[in-house]
């Protein structure tokens, strides 16, 4: 057929020129006597290997049992809030999309093309948006759909009026929210449209706190609370005087504030005038803390007080305010404290 081939078996064999002497045969010396030591060494090695196999057998059986007892791959893990791993990953994917969408501009689209076809966009901004503190706010799977709706928040640079001077503009960083629908399948995920600016999500959870009764500032429990917070946050005074024995509470060092002022004090029950040893009282203290540079913040401390020798001492800084049990919260709702008067 004329096809080119490089098969060496089909090529014609070269003919030997006549009269060429045959190659000399190489004599191989008998090797029986030279392998005597080799046989002994081989036998020794085999003995060692057999001994190692006997020693390792129990370990091998254990490892085999371990492999058989390992659980096989299960269904997608579901977190405590009811989201699968893929749905949680959609949140991170949406955050990356919003980041590229905010930062893209006409001369530098960045990685926006990894999410959408940049050529289909009508036009990009003349300058990128400046943002910070980008985070996922909510992840909401859509019923009977592969689409997961993610809301991403970020502080975006803007200009606003200076409240201290009329007609003056200052740099501000309002919190903005962007809604992104993401389709999640076994093949991967992709956005369904561009991010949409939306209002901040509303809180759906309500908590009834246990601090229904006001605590007058002249009450000994209130005085104990403020003396404790003064030593704890400003470093003024000996903290150990206001702490129950055995409570591991140390002051903040270095002290971040210069003054602490009570705004609102509440308790879960009426404070007895002469408490018995071991009596406990839960206090929610809303206070204003001021730094040396005159910057003020309002904070809420949840404290547990324990009576000893007819006086109140702080036995714990609670990790969270005390709640009314849900079985009774509907019957006796308690007001949540206002951060300021």
């Amino acid at each position: 057929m004329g096809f080119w081939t490089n098969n060496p078996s089909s090529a014609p064999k070269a003919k030997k020129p006549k009269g060429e002497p045959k190659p000399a045969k190489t004599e191989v010396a008998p090797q029986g006597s030279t392998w005597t030591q080799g046989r002994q060494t081989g036998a020794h090695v085999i003995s060692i290997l057999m001994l190692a196999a006997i020693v390792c057998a129990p370990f091998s059986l254990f490892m085999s049992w371990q492999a058989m007892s390992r659980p096989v791959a299960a269904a997608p893990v579901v977190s405590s809030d009811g989201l699968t791993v893929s749905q949680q990953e959609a949140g991170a994917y949406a955050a990356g999309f919003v980041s590229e969408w905010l930062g893209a501009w006409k001369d530098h689209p960045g990685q926006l093309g990894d999410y959408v076809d940049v050529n289909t966009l009508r036009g990009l901004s003349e300058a990128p948006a400046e943002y910070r503190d980008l985070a996922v706010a909510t992840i909401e799977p859509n019923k009977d759909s592969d689409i997961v709706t993610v809301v991403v928040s970020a502080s975006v640079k803007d200009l606003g009026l200076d409240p201290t001077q009329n007609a003056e503009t200052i740099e501000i960083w309002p919190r903005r929210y962007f809604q992104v629908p993401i389709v999640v399948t076994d093949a991967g995920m992709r956005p369904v449209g561009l991010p949409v600016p939306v209002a901040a999500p509303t809180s759906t959870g309500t908590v009834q706190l246990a601090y229904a009764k006001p605590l007058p500032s002249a009450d000994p429990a209130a005085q104990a609370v403020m003396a404790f917070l003064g030593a704890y946050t400003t470093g003024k005074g000996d903290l150990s005087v206001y702490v129950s024995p055995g409570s591991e509470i140390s002051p903040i060092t270095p002290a971040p504030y210069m003054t602490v002022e009570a705004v609102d004090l509440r308790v879960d029950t009426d404070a007895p005038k002469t408490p018995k040893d071991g009596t406990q009282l839960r206090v929610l203290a809303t206070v204003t803390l001021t730094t040396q540079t005159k910057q003020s913040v309002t904070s809420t401390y949840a404290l547990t007080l324990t009576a000893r020798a007819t006086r109140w001492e702080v036995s714990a800084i609670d990790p969270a305010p005390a709640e009314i049990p849900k079985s009774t919260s509907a019957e006796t709702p308690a007001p949540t404290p206002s951060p300021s008067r």
Side-chain angles (χ1 to χ4, degrees), residues 204-210 322-334:
T204 57
T206 58
V207 174
Q208 295 292 340
L209 300 183
E323 301 178 50
I324 296 177
K326 293 184 178 181
S327 59
T328 59
S329 60
E331 302 172 5
T332 56

Side-chain angles (χ1 to χ4, degrees), residues 99-121:
S99 174
E100 294 298 332
W101 178 72
L102 286 172
W105 55 300
K106 183 177 62 176
D107 295 335
H108 186 72
Q111 303 300 317
L112 186 59
D114 292 346
Y115 300 90
V116 294
D117 185 358
V118 179
N119 296 323
T120 61
L121 302 180

Side-chain angles (χ1 to χ4, degrees), residues 55-67:
V55 172
C56 295
F59 177 76
S60 301
L61 289 173
F62 173 76
M63 294 302 294
S64 301
W65 175 82
Q66 285 285 83

